[in-house]
Amino acid sequence: MTAKPRRTREDYERGLPDHHDPTAGFGGAAPTYSALTFRAVLAAFGLLASIAGVVVFLVVIWLPWASVAFGVVALVCLVDLVWVLYRKARGEPG
């Protein structure tokens, strides 16, 4: 088994072709690149919507179990947003 070469910052700045794309190049299609900015926007929207859900279900309607569920979703969105921003900070395009 051969060890993979370690990627450099320049590799990430150029972009990683066929990143997580099992159909890359099929039918002459161009290689895909990661859509990190779109993923960050979706994670931020999910975080804000989940926080709004916590407030509505805890303060307005008083369903504590629903606010806990929205809190868990908000936590997942926060972790995803932090991870995407970390990847963008290290130079991955998208």
Side-chain angles (χ1 to χ4, degrees):
M1 185 185 265
T2 311
K4 292 182 181 179
R6 187 160 174 86
R7 296 203 187 270
T8 64
R9 181 169 292 276
E10 290 79 28
D11 292 332
Y12 288 110
E13 288 173 357
R14 279 193 307 269
L16 303 176
D18 304 333
H19 187 66
H20 299 292
D21 186 11
T23 62
F26 181 73
T32 59
Y33 294 94
S34 177
L36 289 178
T37 303
F38 183 59
R39 187 171 156 194
V41 168
L42 289 177
F45 175 76
L47 179 63
L48 293 175
S50 298
I51 290 172
V54 167
V55 170
V56 166
F57 282 110
L58 195 60
V59 176
V60 178
I61 301 175
W62 186 247
L63 287 175
W65 58 269
S67 63
V68 169
F70 272 97
V72 169
V73 172
L75 182 63
V76 169
C77 289
L78 178 65
V79 169
D80 185 40
L81 181 61
V82 168
W83 180 250
V84 169
L85 294 178
Y86 165 75
R87 286 179 57 188
K88 285 188 71 70
R90 74 177 185 184
E92 288 188 44

